[in-house]
Amino acid sequence: MPVITNIEDLRVLAEKRVPRMFYDYADCGSWTESTYRANESDFQSIKLRQRVAINMEHRSTRTQLVGQDVAMPVALAPVGSTGMQHADGEILAARAAEKFGVPFTLSTMSICSIEDVAANTTRPFWFQLYVMRDRGFIERLIARAQAANCSALVLTLDLQILAQRNKDLKNGLSVPVKPTLSSLLNLMTKPRWCLGMAGTRRRQFGNIVGHVSGVDDVSSLSEWTTRQFDPTLNWADVEWIKKRWGGKLILKGIQDVEDARLAVNSGADALIVSNHGGRQLDGAESSIRALPAIVDAVGKQIEVHMDGGIRSGQDVLKARALGAQGVYIGRSYIYGLGAMGEAGVTKSLEIIHKELDITMAFCGRTDINTVDKSILLTGSYPT
Ligand SMILES: Cc1cc2nc3c(=O)[nH]c(=O)nc-3n(C[C@H](O)[C@H](O)[C@H](O)COP(=O)(O)O)c2cc1C
């Protein structure tokens, strides 16, 4: 077993252990993947100011996200098909998050259902909603999230239609999966993953199968999902969902100042500056570059979060310095899960927490709530 010291180590181990088609599903962006790459690389040009001889003995990364206490300003992002990275993936990730004291967000397109995750955890998690054409299904989904005591609804706005991901097409990743010969041969080199999958009954989209009339097997599911993502989604739908939900509402997928203003008007509690991890509009600006203008425009009226490219505690600190109250990690914990199951998700959180805690101190701050732009080198960050 290799010594794991950073997120890249988890990625390398996940690449070894997760079947190629599911590993590629996570480690890819749309079309040329330019936005996917920019999300990560744009963090590198932002420089921190090194401060010394400041008492850094007692430190805290504790803060709040939408009024809820968190151990650090990091949440687990909604990731579809997490249960294909590792058997029972959503339950394992949710458990790791609750032990660490950070929010876990369950995707609409999860393998383990809302009820299943609730039954296997002890604290409320967050639920991410995709708007489908079948509004009866959406109503029932919202009611199920309420019944499961979910403490925030993350409404994703940037997936009305789907971009193209070349790796998925080449690997035959679709619903149902149409594996290529090379994907099948690759499966045989992942005995640990196969054993896990053989030992679980959770292998379909748990929030959908059995909850929509006529969708009870893989081919009816395929037919249903391809026609369900709703291209007509608009701000009136956001208002309707806000009313039905009645709890904390977070709008995900805002990259433009105009949309950020509309998000404020909608009465949502928070917005997430996000380009879906570079999986939708290829050519969009990286999230960390889009963040400052949005904070400038609406940061006093709504809580601003961000995601995209967070691979270290230093990245978390930079996002926080640029005005994000919190960030979400997607691939950073997905790699941990694929590498080592629940222990891997915990490891990813420990790595990021330690990097955040120590880096904050090197910048002369001992409380995450006092971090602002002044810890950054002027001229090195987007304004
Ligand atoms: C494999 C994968 C699946 C995803 N599925 C969803 C999803 O079901 N719902 C959603 O709102 N976002 C989804 N996202 C986007 C993430 O929530 C998040 O915006 C993104 O992963 C952040 O970028 P990062 O992976 O660089 O941290 C997915 C991302 C990945 C990598």
Side-chain angles (χ1 to χ4, degrees):
M1 176 75 178
V3 180
I4 304 285
T5 61
N6 55 37
I7 298 295
E8 173 62 9
D9 292 341
L10 290 172
R11 188 197 65 72
V12 170
L13 193 54
E15 194 172 11
K16 281 203 185 100
R17 294 188 169 170
V18 177
R20 167 65 51 193
M21 69 160 67
F22 297 119
Y23 172 79
D24 278 352
Y25 168 66
D27 187 9
C28 77
S30 54
W31 287 294
T32 69
E33 304 192 335
S34 69
T35 297
Y36 173 36
R37 279 193 300 274
N39 273 350
E40 287 183 22
S41 60
D42 281 352
F43 274 101
Q44 304 313 314
S45 55
I46 302 170
K47 301 295 173 207
L48 299 164
R49 286 173 61 203
Q50 173 176 311
R51 302 297 309 279
V52 295
I54 292 167
N55 184 344
M56 45 180 79
E57 190 178 12
H58 301 293
R59 301 183 301 276
S60 170
T61 59
R62 299 199 70 81
T63 187
Q64 291 203 323
L65 293 179
V66 290
Q68 300 172 19
D69 289 329
V70 290
M72 62 175 166
V74 175
L76 268 52
V79 170
S81 303
T82 296
M84 299 313 286
Q85 300 291 329
H86 189 287
D88 307 333
E90 289 89 358
I91 291 172
L92 303 184
R95 280 189 185 148
E98 82 171 16
K99 282 182 202 147
F100 208 90
V102 295
F104 168 76
T105 316
L106 183 73
S107 166
T108 293
M109 302 308 289
S110 58
I111 302 296
C112 306
S113 68
I114 304 177
E115 293 77 11
D116 208 3
V117 175
N120 286 284
T121 50
T122 58
R123 287 208 215 128
F125 53 94
W126 295 358
F127 182 68
Q128 175 265 327
L129 186 70
Y130 275 134
V131 178
M132 306 292 191
R133 287 183 196 265
D134 180 348
R135 295 302 155 86
F137 172 70
I138 295 303
E139 278 178 355
R140 291 196 299 281
L141 210 48
I142 291 174
R144 290 166 64 193
Q146 285 164 335
N149 206 20
C150 291
S151 54
L153 187 74
V154 175
L155 174 58
T156 299
L157 298 176
D158 63 3
L159 203 130
Q160 293 165 258
I161 48 173
L162 265 176
Q164 176 173 308
R165 295 192 292 262
N166 294 331
K167 285 179 187 148
D168 290 352
L169 290 178
K170 292 192 165 86
N171 289 328
L173 190 69
S174 55
V175 186
V177 173
K178 293 185 189 111
T180 57
L181 180 63
S182 95
S183 303
L184 282 175
L185 291 174
N186 179 263
L187 262 189
M188 290 157 71
T189 66
K190 317 289 176 187
R192 185 189 294 257
W193 183 91
C194 292
L195 212 62
M197 282 297 162
T200 184
R201 62 190 158 77
R202 303 174 179 105
R203 290 191 222 107
Q204 306 210 54
F205 292 116
N207 291 327
I208 298 170
V209 175
H211 294 277
V212 179
S213 71
V215 177
D216 34 32
D217 62 15
V218 173
S219 68
S220 52
L221 174 67
S222 152
E223 211 262 308
W224 189 83
T225 37
T226 43
R227 67 181 152 79
Q228 276 298 327
F229 285 99
D230 191 349
T232 72
L233 169 65
N234 60 62
W235 289 98
D237 297 312
V238 175
E239 196 183 324
W240 176 76
I241 288 164
K242 181 174 159 41
K243 267 204 202 106
R244 289 214 85 86
W245 170 247
K248 296 287 180 188
L249 180 68
I250 303 171
L251 300 182
K252 179 170 187 281
I254 306 291
Q255 282 276 113
D256 193 275
V257 168
E258 283 306 301
D259 288 335
R261 292 206 174 97
L262 293 167
V264 170
N265 292 346
S266 79
D269 298 278
L271 65 82
I272 310 176
V273 177
S274 171
N275 50 42
H276 217 99
R279 297 165 77 79
Q280 286 289 89
L281 176 60
D282 182 38
E285 195 175 31
S286 68
S287 308
I288 193 64
R289 285 204 142 265
L291 176 68
I294 291 178
V295 169
D296 225 38
V298 301
K300 290 198 173 71
Q301 295 149 280
I302 191 169
E303 199 169 297
V304 177
H305 302 172
M306 72 79 69
D307 74 19
I310 301 272
R311 302 289 179 268
S312 68
Q314 293 89 314
D315 294 342
V316 178
L317 190 70
K318 289 171 183 176
R320 183 84 191 199
L322 288 174
Q325 176 67 18
V327 305
Y328 297 71
I329 52 172
R331 296 172 181 95
S332 286
Y333 89 83
I334 286 297
Y335 295 147
L337 179 72
M340 305 192 302
E342 181 177 336
V345 180
T346 301
K347 190 80 191 168
S348 70
L349 290 168
E350 285 169 355
I351 287 168
I352 286 177
H353 180 256
K354 185 171 181 193
E355 290 168 342
L356 173 64
D357 175 46
I358 303 219
T359 308
M360 174 178 78
F362 283 146
C363 294
R365 301 296 163 92
T366 53
D367 179 354
I368 194 74
N369 297 298
T370 66
V371 166
D372 59 15
K373 249 184 221 164
S374 65
I375 69 159
L376 303 176
L377 198 67
T378 313
S380 77
Y381 56 87
T383 48

